[in-house]
Amino acid sequence: MLELFLNSYNKFSDRNAFCIKDIYYTYFQFAKIISKIRSELENNCKNEKLIAIAAFETPDIETYASIYACWFSGKGYVPMNPNNPLDRNVAMLNQTEIKTILSNGDDDNIKLISKILKINIINTRNLPEEELNLDIPNVEETDLAYILFTSGSTGIPKGVPITRGNVASMLDAFSQLNYNIDETDRFIQMFELTFDFSVFCFTAPLSKGACVYTVSSEGVKYANVYMALENYEITFACMLPSILTYLRPFFSDIKLEKIKYSLFCGEALLSEITSEWSKSIPNGKIINAYGPTEATVFCLIYDYCEKIGVDNYNGILSIGHPMDKMNAIVVNEQLEQVDKGAIGELCLAGDQLTSGYWNNSERNKKMFFKYKFKDIEQIFYRTGDLSFINQNNYFMFVGRLDSQVKIQGFRIELGEIEHFTREYTNIINVAAVAIRNKQDILQIHLFVENYLGNASDIEDYLKTKIPNYMIPSTINIVNNFPINTNGKIDRKKLFELIRLKY
């Protein structure tokens, strides 16, 4: 992982590594910032294996340098959005026993967290210059690269530890795909650093000597993405499928001839809109990538090509086949492989897979299992996604086993929203459902039975407990929930109520 970056630095130190808010930073300038943060970590945080990084919605150059400084000093990082609810951030830092936060300046939320947990804050902008130091530390593949926290149904975020070996395997497997990428390429980076897709969006280009162009979170995000694609003549576009929904009305006017690759990940990619998008990037290859956080960004790949035919199911594009040193199987409820064409749960194994959730043995027992595949016993992870293998030997995405959904690329357990709603209202019958609106955008709608207060009170409380992307689009107070024949809440009828109402 670090050797790839060091190779880029040695070959292309005078080329641009980042463009952030129209300011360019060369590989040499980036390395100098890394070096001064690294020096601070090595001098004052010697015994700390994990460092928190304040990951604001629009990261600056010091934030990206902080990540590499952690890696070059032999440490892992935990990204934390200071604007997320205080309770959530405190829970994350408590779980990882963090002692230090790297931040790019004064922030009231960071100061409050520091005061509550007695955590040290290092202001990365105020550090003195240091001699260049890109010496690779003595580390193991099993050492942590980062821990990302995802939604938890109990209200407690789940930590997903990813090792240096996991990240290196992801980069190597991507390289094995033989896409034509070099130091002249321009990658777009539109994601918060708390979202694992961001890891690929800066490590992959920096491993090739290419330049990373970041997108501001200020204003209208999809408009910023389009302007970046056009103005910077992006050649490698990493995006969420939902971005296409917003851009769709303008497809006829969009002609991005410089794009060589358009890679999508984080949500189901619809075949129809993909076909339309392909006409806006006449020289580009479209790639559909799949993978949970637990398998290091993405680990299945499908190259879209209308000329030779398109694999889709219910209008959703295939998620393809496993990347190098990854395996995928489809199993039944007994965790046994099913025949080709049969629908079951998609499970993953291989070099990109995490060893398990952070300090969560109970969930590890539930989500990981041993299975003999290709005559070798391997540890597989249960994704919770329904899938099958089609006649062309591609994996097809069918849907979710549980109530977990993705909004804006972030994985959300609807049970977490329900948990905090029950906590506030003291009402058992609550239900969060995710439905696509007329613009084909997935939205969350919350139902609460016989609540005497105002829906706005519930919304205000949820904003103190969960990130903004998890806040329901509507909160509906109903007299009685519809019940199915099993005595459970009939969610299908809730879907119908939403469609009729909105």
Side-chain angles (χ1 to χ4, degrees), residues 62 119 154 163 174 211 219 260 284 360 386 399 407 434 458-459 495:
E62 283 84 7
I119 291 177
T154 61
T163 67
F174 179 75
C211 186
K260 293 160 51 179
N360 198 335
L386 291 172
I407 301 289
I458 298 173
E459 181 178 0
F495 292 159

Side-chain angles (χ1 to χ4, degrees), residues 66-97:
S66 293
I67 293 173
Y68 275 87
C70 286
W71 289 344
F72 270 107
S73 59
K75 306 177 189 302
Y77 75 96
V78 178
M80 179 191 68
N81 185 338
N83 295 321
N84 278 348
L86 177 65
D87 288 353
R88 185 180 183 87
N89 283 333
V90 168
M92 288 167 45
L93 298 179
N94 271 331
Q95 283 190 52
T96 50
E97 299 180 338

Side-chain angles (χ1 to χ4, degrees), residues 138-154:
N138 182 21
V139 292
E140 304 292 335
E141 285 192 349
T142 53
D143 288 342
L144 287 176
Y146 58 83
I147 299 180
L148 290 183
F149 281 83
T150 63
S151 175
S153 58
T154 61

Side-chain angles (χ1 to χ4, degrees), residues 18 20-21 23 25 29-38 41 51-56 58-70 77 101-105 122-129 193 202 214:
F18 281 91
I20 302 174
K21 294 182 178 179
I23 300 175
Y25 302 88
Q29 290 171 319
F30 185 53
K32 287 288 287 182
I33 301 171
I34 291 171
S35 297
K36 70 177 184 178
I37 301 173
R38 175 183 186 174
L41 291 174
I51 302 294
I53 294 178
F56 293 94
T58 304
D60 61 7
I61 192 65
E62 283 84 7
T63 308
Y64 289 103
S66 293
I67 293 173
Y68 275 87
C70 286
Y77 75 96
I101 301 175
L102 296 177
S103 181
N104 59 13
I122 296 176
N123 188 323
T124 54
R125 285 184 177 173
N126 295 338
L127 297 176
E129 294 295 322
L193 298 181
F202 64 81
T214 66

